[in-house]
Amino acid sequence: MPLSRLYLPLLGVLFSCYSCTITNSDTALANPPSLKTAYQGNFHIGAALNRPQIYEADSVAAALIRKEFNSITAENMMKWMHIHPGVDSFQFEAADKFVTLGEENDMFIVGHTLVWHSQLAPWVQEITDRDSMLQHLQNHVSKIVGRYKDSVRGWDVVNEALNEDGSLRSSLFLELIGDEYLLKAFEWAAAADPAAELYYNDYSLCNPAKREGAIALVKRLQANGVKIDGIGMQGHWGLDSPSLEEIENSILAYSALGVKVMITELDINVIPNPWDLEGADVNQNFEGSPFMDPYPAGLPDSVQIQLAQRYEDIFKLFLKHEDKIARVTFWGVNDGQSWKNDWPIKGRTNYPLLFDRAFQPKKAYHRVMGLKKLDE
Ligand code: XIL
């Protein structure tokens, strides 16, 4: 038998292996490992973007956002004081840019937030009667949701309407309109964009008393035939609290209402919490001290490891309940720009996210990604 008859098939096999290597590495280049690809069969992975990130001021941050995330939330630019600063003036420029960025990258765009007692425009605080509050609130919700109809896919319609004991927080809206403002806000949002998902969003939603309040709120909407699609548990958590058990109980309890559960503002605090403060009330502020800012020059390995373990544990839990969880959004992109450097004490050095100040993935990132590798 001529030698060529023996070698040719062998060459064929070698060639097909070579070309399959090329194809695989091509795919790998087109789809480098990332949070969004690793978790694409489970839930959306989102990030809150600040103004410079929306405007893509830093090309490294911009590339990282496009690579890692398939959902975005505006950290501040859709809040009342920014988007509706005067009675008759809306400032849509940054919000438009944010929505365009999301559309260009095929991301699930989240609107944050329509009705919230914080970061209001000063003129709203001057409203003193029920009718004009109703009218301004309706105008606010309808204009903004209407403008982004079919682009923003989910809205935090009401943010932080509850006290820690589960009762309704006293706010301008509650005082002037009564608790009906909750129903109205959801109704106006649904009318302006029937296809958008509508959420109630809050912090400390793993606290049992507050959880009961959130459950009652959702039931009240449902009993009145008002559309609500999901509950956003903000997820401003610590290394040890809330416990995995409390988080799990809350996921189960909210999901039992027939709504989607989302972790909407995830970050893990690693530095001292003044007076064991719970929650994320943006109006609370405390004095700083070296004791309160223990790692200005870098996070010690021991804490880095604890943070990685905490992230692994909570993502393991999220995966266990992936049928109930629609999205996990980080409140920021990297440690350097996180609000946790300035809240509740200004000017500290915190390390709450998966990417460090140089945009490098931290141990915690690898542990979160590692959970998916084991899966494959
Ligand atoms: C925070 C932003 O991250 C800060 O930049 C801003 O100064 C204050 O608000 N709960 C929420 C978010 O719903 O809107 C808050 O965001 C954090 C707590």
Short mmCIF file of all heavy atoms in Angstrom, two decimals, residues 268-332:
data_model
loop_
_atom_site.label_atom_id
_atom_site.label_comp_id
_atom_site.label_asym_id
_atom_site.label_seq_id
_atom_site.Cartn_x
_atom_site.Cartn_y
_atom_site.Cartn_z
N ILE A 268 -20.75 44.24 49.47
CA ILE A 268 -20.46 43.66 50.79
C ILE A 268 -19.47 44.58 51.52
O ILE A 268 -18.32 44.74 51.09
CB ILE A 268 -19.83 42.24 50.66
CG1 ILE A 268 -20.74 41.30 49.84
CG2 ILE A 268 -19.52 41.65 52.04
CD1 ILE A 268 -22.04 40.90 50.50
N ASN A 269 -19.93 45.14 52.61
CA ASN A 269 -19.11 46.06 53.40
C ASN A 269 -18.04 45.27 54.17
O ASN A 269 -18.35 44.27 54.79
CB ASN A 269 -20.03 46.80 54.38
CG ASN A 269 -19.27 47.72 55.29
OD1 ASN A 269 -18.44 48.49 54.82
ND2 ASN A 269 -19.51 47.61 56.57
N VAL A 270 -16.78 45.75 54.13
CA VAL A 270 -15.73 45.04 54.86
C VAL A 270 -15.10 45.91 55.95
O VAL A 270 -14.13 45.51 56.58
CB VAL A 270 -14.61 44.51 53.92
CG1 VAL A 270 -15.18 43.52 52.93
CG2 VAL A 270 -13.89 45.64 53.21
N ILE A 271 -15.60 47.13 56.12
CA ILE A 271 -15.00 48.00 57.15
C ILE A 271 -16.05 48.30 58.23
O ILE A 271 -17.23 48.02 58.04
CB ILE A 271 -14.41 49.30 56.52
CG1 ILE A 271 -15.46 50.07 55.72
CG2 ILE A 271 -13.21 48.96 55.65
CD1 ILE A 271 -14.92 51.36 55.09
N PRO A 272 -15.59 48.84 59.38
CA PRO A 272 -16.52 48.96 60.51
C PRO A 272 -17.78 49.74 60.18
O PRO A 272 -17.76 50.71 59.43
CB PRO A 272 -15.70 49.68 61.58
CG PRO A 272 -14.30 49.41 61.24
CD PRO A 272 -14.24 49.30 59.74
N ASN A 273 -18.84 49.27 60.80
CA ASN A 273 -20.16 49.81 60.57
C ASN A 273 -20.50 50.63 61.82
O ASN A 273 -20.63 50.07 62.89
CB ASN A 273 -21.09 48.60 60.44
CG ASN A 273 -22.35 48.94 59.75
OD1 ASN A 273 -22.57 50.07 59.33
ND2 ASN A 273 -23.22 47.95 59.63
N PRO A 274 -20.62 51.96 61.71
CA PRO A 274 -20.85 52.72 62.94
C PRO A 274 -22.12 52.27 63.64
O PRO A 274 -23.17 52.17 63.03
CB PRO A 274 -20.98 54.17 62.45
CG PRO A 274 -21.13 54.11 60.98
CD PRO A 274 -20.62 52.79 60.51
N TRP A 275 -21.97 51.99 64.93
CA TRP A 275 -23.10 51.60 65.77
C TRP A 275 -23.91 50.45 65.18
O TRP A 275 -25.14 50.41 65.28
CB TRP A 275 -24.03 52.79 66.03
CG TRP A 275 -23.29 53.96 66.54
CD1 TRP A 275 -22.20 53.94 67.38
CD2 TRP A 275 -23.54 55.34 66.27
NE1 TRP A 275 -21.77 55.21 67.63
CE2 TRP A 275 -22.58 56.09 66.97
CE3 TRP A 275 -24.50 56.01 65.52
CZ2 TRP A 275 -22.55 57.48 66.92
CZ3 TRP A 275 -24.46 57.39 65.47
CH2 TRP A 275 -23.50 58.12 66.16
N ASP A 276 -23.22 49.55 64.48
CA ASP A 276 -23.90 48.40 63.89
C ASP A 276 -25.13 48.80 63.09
O ASP A 276 -26.17 48.15 63.11
CB ASP A 276 -24.30 47.39 64.97
CG ASP A 276 -23.08 46.68 65.50
OD1 ASP A 276 -22.12 46.52 64.71
OD2 ASP A 276 -23.06 46.34 66.69
N LEU A 277 -24.96 49.87 62.37
CA LEU A 277 -26.03 50.38 61.53
C LEU A 277 -26.54 49.30 60.59
O LEU A 277 -25.76 48.60 59.96
CB LEU A 277 -25.42 51.52 60.71
CG LEU A 277 -26.32 52.37 59.89
CD1 LEU A 277 -27.13 53.25 60.84
CD2 LEU A 277 -25.46 53.26 59.00
N GLU A 278 -27.83 49.19 60.51
CA GLU A 278 -28.40 48.25 59.54
C GLU A 278 -28.97 49.03 58.38
O GLU A 278 -29.39 50.16 58.53
CB GLU A 278 -29.53 47.46 60.19
CG GLU A 278 -29.03 46.28 60.96
CD GLU A 278 -30.14 45.29 61.26
OE1 GLU A 278 -31.17 45.33 60.60
OE2 GLU A 278 -29.93 44.48 62.18
N GLY A 279 -29.03 48.41 57.23
CA GLY A 279 -29.72 49.03 56.12
C GLY A 279 -28.85 49.94 55.29
O GLY A 279 -27.63 49.82 55.27
N ALA A 280 -29.48 50.89 54.59
CA ALA A 280 -28.77 51.73 53.64
C ALA A 280 -29.43 53.08 53.50
O ALA A 280 -29.61 53.60 52.44
CB ALA A 280 -28.72 51.02 52.29
N ASP A 281 -29.82 53.67 54.64
CA ASP A 281 -30.49 54.96 54.58
C ASP A 281 -29.49 56.03 54.15
O ASP A 281 -28.58 56.38 54.91
CB ASP A 281 -31.08 55.28 55.97
CG ASP A 281 -31.87 56.57 55.95
OD1 ASP A 281 -31.65 57.39 55.04
OD2 ASP A 281 -32.71 56.75 56.85
N VAL A 282 -29.65 56.56 52.93
CA VAL A 282 -28.64 57.47 52.38
C VAL A 282 -28.55 58.78 53.16
O VAL A 282 -27.63 59.55 52.98
CB VAL A 282 -28.89 57.77 50.89
CG1 VAL A 282 -28.76 56.52 50.06
CG2 VAL A 282 -30.23 58.45 50.65
N ASN A 283 -29.50 59.04 54.05
CA ASN A 283 -29.47 60.30 54.79
C ASN A 283 -28.67 60.21 56.09
O ASN A 283 -28.50 61.20 56.79
CB ASN A 283 -30.90 60.76 55.10
CG ASN A 283 -31.65 60.97 53.80
OD1 ASN A 283 -31.16 61.66 52.90
ND2 ASN A 283 -32.80 60.34 53.65
N GLN A 284 -28.18 59.01 56.42
CA GLN A 284 -27.40 58.88 57.65
C GLN A 284 -25.92 59.14 57.36
O GLN A 284 -25.39 58.64 56.37
CB GLN A 284 -27.57 57.47 58.23
CG GLN A 284 -28.94 57.25 58.83
CD GLN A 284 -29.17 55.81 59.22
OE1 GLN A 284 -28.97 54.92 58.41
NE2 GLN A 284 -29.59 55.58 60.44
N ASN A 285 -25.26 59.94 58.21
CA ASN A 285 -23.84 60.21 58.04
C ASN A 285 -23.15 60.32 59.39
O ASN A 285 -23.70 60.87 60.33
CB ASN A 285 -23.64 61.51 57.27
CG ASN A 285 -23.40 61.20 55.81
OD1 ASN A 285 -22.38 60.61 55.46
ND2 ASN A 285 -24.35 61.54 54.96
N PHE A 286 -21.91 59.83 59.45
CA PHE A 286 -21.20 59.81 60.73
C PHE A 286 -19.79 60.37 60.55
O PHE A 286 -19.26 60.40 59.44
CB PHE A 286 -21.12 58.37 61.25
CG PHE A 286 -22.48 57.75 61.46
CD1 PHE A 286 -23.12 57.09 60.41
CD2 PHE A 286 -23.13 57.86 62.67
CE1 PHE A 286 -24.38 56.55 60.60
CE2 PHE A 286 -24.39 57.32 62.86
CZ PHE A 286 -25.02 56.66 61.82
N GLU A 287 -19.17 60.77 61.68
CA GLU A 287 -17.80 61.26 61.66
C GLU A 287 -16.82 60.11 61.41
O GLU A 287 -17.03 59.01 61.91
CB GLU A 287 -17.47 61.90 63.01
CG GLU A 287 -18.06 63.28 63.19
CD GLU A 287 -17.52 64.28 62.18
OE1 GLU A 287 -16.28 64.43 62.11
OE2 GLU A 287 -18.33 64.89 61.45
N GLY A 288 -15.73 60.38 60.70
CA GLY A 288 -14.73 59.35 60.46
C GLY A 288 -13.66 59.34 61.54
O GLY A 288 -13.57 60.25 62.34
N SER A 289 -12.85 58.26 61.57
CA SER A 289 -11.70 58.18 62.47
C SER A 289 -10.83 57.05 61.94
O SER A 289 -11.32 56.21 61.19
CB SER A 289 -12.16 57.85 63.89
OG SER A 289 -12.64 56.53 63.92
N PRO A 290 -9.52 57.00 62.31
CA PRO A 290 -8.67 55.92 61.79
C PRO A 290 -9.24 54.55 62.14
O PRO A 290 -9.15 53.61 61.35
CB PRO A 290 -7.33 56.16 62.49
CG PRO A 290 -7.34 57.60 62.84
CD PRO A 290 -8.77 57.98 63.10
N PHE A 291 -9.87 54.43 63.29
CA PHE A 291 -10.44 53.14 63.67
C PHE A 291 -11.53 52.72 62.68
O PHE A 291 -11.70 51.53 62.38
CB PHE A 291 -11.03 53.24 65.09
CG PHE A 291 -11.80 52.01 65.49
CD1 PHE A 291 -11.12 50.86 65.89
CD2 PHE A 291 -13.19 51.98 65.43
CE1 PHE A 291 -11.81 49.70 66.24
CE2 PHE A 291 -13.90 50.84 65.78
CZ PHE A 291 -13.22 49.69 66.18
N MET A 292 -12.24 53.72 62.18
CA MET A 292 -13.35 53.44 61.28
C MET A 292 -12.87 53.21 59.83
O MET A 292 -13.65 52.83 58.97
CB MET A 292 -14.34 54.62 61.29
CG MET A 292 -15.20 54.62 62.53
SD MET A 292 -16.24 53.16 62.51
CE MET A 292 -17.20 53.39 63.97
N ASP A 293 -11.57 53.51 59.58
CA ASP A 293 -11.05 53.38 58.21
C ASP A 293 -9.76 52.54 58.25
O ASP A 293 -8.66 53.04 58.03
CB ASP A 293 -10.76 54.80 57.67
CG ASP A 293 -10.42 54.79 56.21
OD1 ASP A 293 -10.69 53.78 55.51
OD2 ASP A 293 -9.88 55.81 55.72
N PRO A 294 -9.89 51.25 58.57
CA PRO A 294 -8.70 50.47 58.93
C PRO A 294 -7.80 50.04 57.76
O PRO A 294 -6.67 49.66 58.00
CB PRO A 294 -9.30 49.23 59.61
CG PRO A 294 -10.68 49.12 59.08
CD PRO A 294 -11.14 50.50 58.76
N TYR A 295 -8.27 50.10 56.53
CA TYR A 295 -7.45 49.56 55.43
C TYR A 295 -7.20 50.58 54.31
O TYR A 295 -7.43 50.28 53.13
CB TYR A 295 -8.12 48.33 54.81
CG TYR A 295 -8.68 47.33 55.80
CD1 TYR A 295 -10.01 46.93 55.72
CD2 TYR A 295 -7.88 46.79 56.80
CE1 TYR A 295 -10.54 46.01 56.61
CE2 TYR A 295 -8.41 45.87 57.71
CZ TYR A 295 -9.73 45.49 57.61
OH TYR A 295 -10.26 44.59 58.49
N PRO A 296 -6.71 51.78 54.65
CA PRO A 296 -6.55 52.79 53.59
C PRO A 296 -5.52 52.39 52.54
O PRO A 296 -5.60 52.82 51.40
CB PRO A 296 -6.10 54.05 54.35
CG PRO A 296 -5.54 53.56 55.64
CD PRO A 296 -6.27 52.30 55.96
N ALA A 297 -4.56 51.51 52.92
CA ALA A 297 -3.49 51.18 51.97
C ALA A 297 -3.70 49.84 51.27
O ALA A 297 -2.86 49.40 50.50
CB ALA A 297 -2.16 51.17 52.71
N GLY A 298 -4.79 49.17 51.53
CA GLY A 298 -5.01 47.88 50.87
C GLY A 298 -5.72 46.92 51.79
O GLY A 298 -5.59 47.03 53.02
N LEU A 299 -6.44 45.99 51.21
CA LEU A 299 -7.21 45.03 52.01
C LEU A 299 -6.31 43.87 52.43
O LEU A 299 -5.70 43.23 51.58
CB LEU A 299 -8.39 44.52 51.17
CG LEU A 299 -9.47 43.74 51.91
CD1 LEU A 299 -10.15 44.62 52.97
CD2 LEU A 299 -10.52 43.22 50.93
N PRO A 300 -6.20 43.58 53.74
CA PRO A 300 -5.39 42.43 54.15
C PRO A 300 -5.92 41.14 53.54
O PRO A 300 -7.13 41.00 53.34
CB PRO A 300 -5.55 42.39 55.67
CG PRO A 300 -6.14 43.70 56.07
CD PRO A 300 -6.84 44.26 54.87
N ASP A 301 -5.01 40.23 53.26
CA ASP A 301 -5.39 38.94 52.65
C ASP A 301 -6.49 38.23 53.41
O ASP A 301 -7.39 37.63 52.82
CB ASP A 301 -4.16 38.03 52.61
CG ASP A 301 -3.61 37.96 51.20
OD1 ASP A 301 -4.18 38.67 50.33
OD2 ASP A 301 -2.64 37.21 50.99
N SER A 302 -6.38 38.29 54.75
CA SER A 302 -7.36 37.55 55.56
C SER A 302 -8.78 38.05 55.26
O SER A 302 -9.72 37.26 55.20
CB SER A 302 -7.04 37.70 57.04
OG SER A 302 -7.02 39.07 57.37
N VAL A 303 -8.93 39.36 55.07
CA VAL A 303 -10.27 39.90 54.81
C VAL A 303 -10.67 39.63 53.35
O VAL A 303 -11.83 39.34 53.05
CB VAL A 303 -10.34 41.42 55.13
CG1 VAL A 303 -11.77 41.91 55.06
CG2 VAL A 303 -9.75 41.72 56.49
N GLN A 304 -9.68 39.71 52.46
CA GLN A 304 -9.94 39.38 51.05
C GLN A 304 -10.53 37.97 50.93
O GLN A 304 -11.47 37.72 50.16
CB GLN A 304 -8.61 39.45 50.28
CG GLN A 304 -8.73 39.45 48.78
CD GLN A 304 -9.15 40.81 48.26
OE1 GLN A 304 -10.33 41.02 48.00
NE2 GLN A 304 -8.20 41.71 48.11
N ILE A 305 -9.96 37.07 51.73
CA ILE A 305 -10.43 35.68 51.70
C ILE A 305 -11.85 35.57 52.26
O ILE A 305 -12.70 34.88 51.72
CB ILE A 305 -9.43 34.77 52.46
CG1 ILE A 305 -8.15 34.65 51.64
CG2 ILE A 305 -10.02 33.39 52.75
CD1 ILE A 305 -6.96 34.10 52.39
N GLN A 306 -12.09 36.31 53.34
CA GLN A 306 -13.45 36.31 53.92
C GLN A 306 -14.47 36.85 52.92
O GLN A 306 -15.57 36.33 52.80
CB GLN A 306 -13.48 37.26 55.12
CG GLN A 306 -13.30 36.62 56.47
CD GLN A 306 -13.34 37.72 57.53
OE1 GLN A 306 -12.38 38.46 57.68
NE2 GLN A 306 -14.45 37.83 58.23
N LEU A 307 -14.07 37.90 52.22
CA LEU A 307 -14.98 38.51 51.24
C LEU A 307 -15.28 37.52 50.11
O LEU A 307 -16.42 37.36 49.67
CB LEU A 307 -14.34 39.78 50.66
CG LEU A 307 -15.13 40.52 49.60
CD1 LEU A 307 -16.39 41.16 50.21
CD2 LEU A 307 -14.29 41.61 48.92
N ALA A 308 -14.22 36.83 49.66
CA ALA A 308 -14.39 35.85 48.58
C ALA A 308 -15.33 34.73 49.02
O ALA A 308 -16.21 34.29 48.28
CB ALA A 308 -13.03 35.29 48.18
N GLN A 309 -15.16 34.30 50.29
CA GLN A 309 -16.02 33.23 50.81
C GLN A 309 -17.47 33.68 50.89
O GLN A 309 -18.39 32.95 50.52
CB GLN A 309 -15.51 32.81 52.20
CG GLN A 309 -16.24 31.63 52.79
CD GLN A 309 -16.01 30.36 51.96
OE1 GLN A 309 -14.87 30.01 51.66
NE2 GLN A 309 -17.09 29.69 51.56
N ARG A 310 -17.65 34.92 51.34
CA ARG A 310 -19.02 35.46 51.47
C ARG A 310 -19.69 35.53 50.08
O ARG A 310 -20.84 35.12 49.92
CB ARG A 310 -18.94 36.85 52.10
CG ARG A 310 -20.26 37.60 52.19
CD ARG A 310 -21.21 36.97 53.19
NE ARG A 310 -22.27 37.90 53.57
CZ ARG A 310 -23.44 37.53 54.07
NH1 ARG A 310 -23.71 36.25 54.27
NH2 ARG A 310 -24.34 38.43 54.38
N TYR A 311 -18.96 36.02 49.10
CA TYR A 311 -19.53 36.10 47.75
C TYR A 311 -19.85 34.70 47.21
O TYR A 311 -20.88 34.48 46.59
CB TYR A 311 -18.60 36.85 46.79
CG TYR A 311 -18.95 38.32 46.68
CD1 TYR A 311 -18.09 39.32 47.13
CD2 TYR A 311 -20.16 38.74 46.11
CE1 TYR A 311 -18.42 40.67 47.03
CE2 TYR A 311 -20.49 40.08 46.01
CZ TYR A 311 -19.62 41.04 46.47
OH TYR A 311 -19.96 42.37 46.36
N GLU A 312 -18.92 33.76 47.47
CA GLU A 312 -19.19 32.39 47.00
C GLU A 312 -20.45 31.83 47.65
O GLU A 312 -21.31 31.25 47.00
CB GLU A 312 -18.00 31.48 47.28
CG GLU A 312 -18.28 30.05 46.82
CD GLU A 312 -17.09 29.12 47.00
OE1 GLU A 312 -15.99 29.44 46.51
OE2 GLU A 312 -17.26 28.08 47.64
N ASP A 313 -20.56 32.05 48.96
CA ASP A 313 -21.72 31.52 49.69
C ASP A 313 -23.03 32.10 49.16
O ASP A 313 -24.01 31.38 48.97
CB ASP A 313 -21.61 31.83 51.19
CG ASP A 313 -20.49 31.06 51.85
OD1 ASP A 313 -20.00 30.08 51.25
OD2 ASP A 313 -20.08 31.45 52.97
N ILE A 314 -23.05 33.42 48.94
CA ILE A 314 -24.34 33.99 48.52
C ILE A 314 -24.65 33.60 47.08
O ILE A 314 -25.81 33.33 46.76
CB ILE A 314 -24.46 35.52 48.77
CG1 ILE A 314 -23.39 36.29 48.07
CG2 ILE A 314 -24.49 35.86 50.24
CD1 ILE A 314 -23.49 37.81 48.29
N PHE A 315 -23.65 33.52 46.23
CA PHE A 315 -23.94 33.10 44.85
C PHE A 315 -24.37 31.63 44.79
O PHE A 315 -25.18 31.26 43.95
CB PHE A 315 -22.77 33.41 43.91
CG PHE A 315 -22.92 34.76 43.28
CD1 PHE A 315 -22.58 35.91 43.97
CD2 PHE A 315 -23.48 34.91 42.01
CE1 PHE A 315 -22.77 37.18 43.41
CE2 PHE A 315 -23.67 36.16 41.44
CZ PHE A 315 -23.31 37.30 42.14
N LYS A 316 -23.82 30.82 45.67
CA LYS A 316 -24.26 29.43 45.73
C LYS A 316 -25.75 29.39 46.06
O LYS A 316 -26.53 28.63 45.48
CB LYS A 316 -23.45 28.71 46.83
CG LYS A 316 -23.13 27.27 46.48
CD LYS A 316 -22.41 26.60 47.63
CE LYS A 316 -20.92 26.49 47.35
NZ LYS A 316 -20.17 25.91 48.46
N LEU A 317 -26.14 30.24 47.00
CA LEU A 317 -27.56 30.32 47.39
C LEU A 317 -28.41 30.85 46.21
O LEU A 317 -29.49 30.33 45.94
CB LEU A 317 -27.70 31.24 48.61
CG LEU A 317 -29.09 31.38 49.19
CD1 LEU A 317 -29.58 30.05 49.76
CD2 LEU A 317 -29.08 32.44 50.32
N PHE A 318 -27.90 31.86 45.52
CA PHE A 318 -28.65 32.39 44.38
C PHE A 318 -28.83 31.30 43.32
O PHE A 318 -29.90 31.17 42.72
CB PHE A 318 -27.94 33.59 43.74
CG PHE A 318 -27.75 34.78 44.65
CD1 PHE A 318 -26.78 35.75 44.38
CD2 PHE A 318 -28.55 34.95 45.78
CE1 PHE A 318 -26.59 36.84 45.21
CE2 PHE A 318 -28.37 36.05 46.62
CZ PHE A 318 -27.39 36.99 46.34
N LEU A 319 -27.78 30.51 43.11
CA LEU A 319 -27.89 29.44 42.10
C LEU A 319 -28.90 28.39 42.53
O LEU A 319 -29.66 27.87 41.72
CB LEU A 319 -26.52 28.80 41.85
CG LEU A 319 -25.58 29.62 40.96
CD1 LEU A 319 -24.19 28.99 40.95
CD2 LEU A 319 -26.12 29.73 39.53
N LYS A 320 -28.91 28.11 43.83
CA LYS A 320 -29.88 27.13 44.35
C LYS A 320 -31.31 27.60 44.02
O LYS A 320 -32.19 26.79 43.77
CB LYS A 320 -29.69 27.01 45.87
CG LYS A 320 -30.65 26.07 46.55
CD LYS A 320 -30.31 25.94 48.03
CE LYS A 320 -31.39 25.17 48.77
NZ LYS A 320 -31.25 25.29 50.23
N HIS A 321 -31.52 28.91 44.02
CA HIS A 321 -32.86 29.45 43.79
C HIS A 321 -32.94 30.20 42.45
O HIS A 321 -33.68 31.17 42.32
CB HIS A 321 -33.26 30.37 44.94
CG HIS A 321 -33.39 29.62 46.23
ND1 HIS A 321 -34.36 28.66 46.42
CD2 HIS A 321 -32.66 29.66 47.36
CE1 HIS A 321 -34.22 28.15 47.64
NE2 HIS A 321 -33.19 28.74 48.22
N GLU A 322 -32.19 29.71 41.49
CA GLU A 322 -32.16 30.43 40.21
C GLU A 322 -33.53 30.49 39.54
O GLU A 322 -33.80 31.40 38.76
CB GLU A 322 -31.14 29.81 39.26
CG GLU A 322 -31.43 28.36 38.93
CD GLU A 322 -30.52 27.83 37.83
OE1 GLU A 322 -30.44 28.47 36.79
OE2 GLU A 322 -29.91 26.78 38.05
N ASP A 323 -34.39 29.55 39.86
CA ASP A 323 -35.74 29.58 39.27
C ASP A 323 -36.57 30.75 39.81
O ASP A 323 -37.58 31.12 39.23
CB ASP A 323 -36.47 28.25 39.53
CG ASP A 323 -36.56 27.92 41.03
OD1 ASP A 323 -35.61 28.26 41.78
OD2 ASP A 323 -37.59 27.38 41.45
N LYS A 324 -36.15 31.31 40.93
CA LYS A 324 -36.90 32.42 41.55
C LYS A 324 -36.23 33.77 41.31
O LYS A 324 -36.86 34.82 41.43
CB LYS A 324 -37.02 32.20 43.06
CG LYS A 324 -37.60 30.84 43.43
CD LYS A 324 -37.45 30.55 44.91
CE LYS A 324 -37.82 29.11 45.21
NZ LYS A 324 -36.83 28.11 44.70
N ILE A 325 -34.94 33.72 41.00
CA ILE A 325 -34.15 34.97 40.91
C ILE A 325 -33.95 35.36 39.44
O ILE A 325 -33.48 34.56 38.63
CB ILE A 325 -32.78 34.78 41.62
CG1 ILE A 325 -33.04 34.58 43.11
CG2 ILE A 325 -31.87 35.97 41.37
CD1 ILE A 325 -31.81 34.33 43.94
N ALA A 326 -34.33 36.59 39.11
CA ALA A 326 -34.23 37.04 37.72
C ALA A 326 -32.95 37.82 37.44
O ALA A 326 -32.49 37.88 36.31
CB ALA A 326 -35.44 37.91 37.37
N ARG A 327 -32.41 38.44 38.49
CA ARG A 327 -31.26 39.32 38.24
C ARG A 327 -30.49 39.55 39.53
O ARG A 327 -31.08 39.65 40.60
CB ARG A 327 -31.78 40.67 37.70
CG ARG A 327 -30.75 41.78 37.59
CD ARG A 327 -31.30 42.97 36.81
NE ARG A 327 -32.54 43.46 37.35
CZ ARG A 327 -32.64 44.44 38.26
NH1 ARG A 327 -31.56 45.02 38.73
NH2 ARG A 327 -33.82 44.82 38.70
N VAL A 328 -29.17 39.64 39.38
CA VAL A 328 -28.31 40.07 40.49
C VAL A 328 -27.51 41.26 39.99
O VAL A 328 -26.73 41.14 39.04
CB VAL A 328 -27.35 38.93 40.94
CG1 VAL A 328 -26.42 39.43 42.05
CG2 VAL A 328 -28.14 37.71 41.42
N THR A 329 -27.74 42.42 40.58
CA THR A 329 -27.06 43.64 40.15
C THR A 329 -26.14 44.15 41.25
O THR A 329 -26.55 44.27 42.40
CB THR A 329 -28.10 44.73 39.80
OG1 THR A 329 -28.79 44.36 38.60
CG2 THR A 329 -27.45 46.09 39.58
N PHE A 330 -24.89 44.43 40.86
CA PHE A 330 -23.91 45.01 41.81
C PHE A 330 -24.10 46.52 41.84
O PHE A 330 -24.33 47.13 40.80
CB PHE A 330 -22.48 44.68 41.36
CG PHE A 330 -22.18 43.21 41.45
CD1 PHE A 330 -22.44 42.36 40.38
CD2 PHE A 330 -21.64 42.68 42.61
CE1 PHE A 330 -22.18 40.99 40.47
CE2 PHE A 330 -21.38 41.31 42.71
CZ PHE A 330 -21.65 40.47 41.63
N TRP A 331 -23.95 47.10 43.05
CA TRP A 331 -24.14 48.55 43.14
C TRP A 331 -22.80 49.25 42.87
O TRP A 331 -22.13 49.77 43.76
CB TRP A 331 -24.74 48.95 44.49
CG TRP A 331 -25.45 50.28 44.38
CD1 TRP A 331 -25.12 51.44 45.04
CD2 TRP A 331 -26.59 50.60 43.56
NE1 TRP A 331 -26.00 52.43 44.66
CE2 TRP A 331 -26.90 51.95 43.76
CE3 TRP A 331 -27.37 49.85 42.66
CZ2 TRP A 331 -27.96 52.59 43.09
CZ3 TRP A 331 -28.42 50.47 42.00
CH2 TRP A 331 -28.70 51.83 42.22
N GLY A 332 -22.42 49.22 41.61
CA GLY A 332 -21.15 49.81 41.19
C GLY A 332 -20.37 48.81 40.37
O GLY A 332 -20.77 47.63 40.24
#
